[in-house]
Amino acid sequence: MRPTDILRVLNKQFLGIAGENVNAIAKKLPSPIVSRKPAFIDAFLYKMKKNPELLKNKTIWSRRSTIFPEFVDSQVKIYNGKTTIRCKITEGKVGHKFGEFALTRKRKSRDQPNAKVKQLKKKK
């Protein structure tokens, strides 16, 4: 069973719309997965979840919301505190948080300090 299927089952159980088939699948799942807290999703994203077409090229400020299987193959802009970063949602990102894919800090370049030291040595 794929991770996306497991998330769909757990989500339907949490919302109380699970049918007999979903409950039968949930019984087959290992118990640690079923006993987890439900995934958090912001209210406006929950509305978009019902109609994924509304999500295309939307800016998301809720970095703490979980990526659901319904969002796969859509592009969103995730706010990192300063700018928005475009992100294409793939199946591998399902179950993670939106904030994991929009870094808030710049990476330090390791070449710059060495270049300055080399320039100083050449001047001497």
Side-chain angles (χ1 to χ4, degrees), residues 2 5 12 18 27 30-31 34 45 51 69-70 73 75 85-86 89 91 94 100 102-103 106 108 110 114 120:
R2 295 185 328 205
D5 294 335
K12 286 181 180 180
K27 288 178 183 175
S31 59
V34 177
L45 281 172
N51 189 1
E70 288 82 2
D73 294 331
Q75 277 197 329
I85 297 173
R86 284 188 322 179
I89 300 173
E91 192 168 321
V94 171
E100 293 180 47
L103 300 178
K106 290 184 179 178
K108 288 186 179 179
R110 295 176 188 251
N114 294 335
L120 292 173

Side-chain angles (χ1 to χ4, degrees), residues 16-64:
I17 55 174
E20 293 177 16
N21 296 337
V22 174
N23 288 331
I25 293 171
K27 288 178 183 175
K28 293 179 184 177
L29 295 175
S31 59
I33 293 177
V34 177
S35 64
R36 286 188 189 166
K37 291 193 312 188
F40 174 80
I41 186 165
D42 212 45
F44 88 96
L45 281 172
Y46 182 72
K47 292 175 188 172
M48 306 262 181
K49 184 179 146 188
K50 294 177 183 174
N51 189 1
E53 294 298 319
L54 296 174
L55 189 66
K56 295 202 177 190
N57 290 324
K58 284 284 187 176
T59 302
I60 295 174
W61 282 273
S62 175
R63 296 168 48 86
R64 62 186 178 163

Side-chain angles (χ1 to χ4, degrees), residues 69-98:
E70 288 82 2
F71 301 150
V72 172
D73 294 331
S74 63
Q75 277 197 329
V76 295
K77 292 184 241 173
I78 305 168
Y79 188 66
N80 71 350
K82 186 175 182 181
T83 60
T84 55
I85 297 173
R86 284 188 322 179
C87 179
K88 182 168 180 169
I89 300 173
T90 59
E91 192 168 321
K93 295 179 182 178
V94 171
H96 292 271
K97 305 285 183 183
F98 280 105

Side-chain angles (χ1 to χ4, degrees), residues 103-120:
L103 300 178
T104 57
R105 295 182 174 92
K106 290 184 179 178
R107 298 172 107 184
K108 288 186 179 179
S109 174
R110 295 176 188 251
D111 295 336
Q112 291 177 352
N114 294 335
K116 289 180 182 178
V117 171
K118 287 180 183 178
Q119 286 178 354
L120 292 173

